[in-house]
Amino acid sequence: TELKGKNIIEEEVEAGDIKELIDEAKNKYPNLAIMLFQKKDDKVMIACGSKETAIKAGNWIKEIAPILGGGGGGRPDFAQAGGKDASKISEAKEKALAYLEENL
């Protein structure tokens, strides 16, 4: 999707290495903010990346991970976190989008 002239990807993925998926997307798209969620049993892994946007991945993930009962952090271009409550992925995706709307 596109928001304020930037490419944004915000998805739940079933399989694969989410860090690799983010790297592939960052190589493919300019001006990108991406956050991926992946369920692991009842837990959830979160990773996000930013390329050529005002979004700092580490700050973005610190806003989202607590919704899922977790924490994390990282660099401005890549961050990851884990959460204990996979049932709140939809809520986390909404909050991630709202964060982009406010900060892009």
Side-chain angles (χ1 to χ4, degrees):
T1 341
E2 194 172 296
L3 177 68
K4 298 182 181 177
K6 306 295 183 197
N7 292 302
I8 61 167
I9 300 172
E10 182 191 47
E11 288 293 327
E12 182 177 347
V13 294
E14 298 291 322
D17 180 330
I18 57 178
K19 182 182 184 325
E20 283 181 18
L21 293 171
I22 287 174
D23 286 343
E24 288 171 16
K26 283 166 62 178
N27 289 334
K28 188 173 181 180
Y29 299 103
N31 308 317
L32 176 70
I34 178 171
M35 183 172 283
L36 299 178
F37 301 86
Q38 187 175 54
K39 280 189 212 175
K40 297 276 188 183
D41 302 315
D42 57 345
K43 296 184 174 151
V44 59
M45 292 295 302
I46 317 154
C48 66
S50 178
K51 175 183 164 189
E52 300 165 8
T53 74
I55 299 299
K56 304 270 186 271
N59 296 343
W60 189 21
I61 212 158
K62 285 178 187 168
E63 291 286 321
I64 306 310
I67 296 167
L68 299 162
R75 305 181 312 268
D77 65 327
F78 179 80
Q80 55 189 9
K84 298 179 189 97
D85 190 352
S87 71
K88 295 197 173 169
I89 289 177
S90 293
E91 182 183 339
K93 285 173 69 177
E94 286 175 27
K95 177 78 173 171
L97 184 57
Y99 183 90
L100 291 177
E101 288 171 348
E102 290 170 21
N103 294 282
L104 272 178

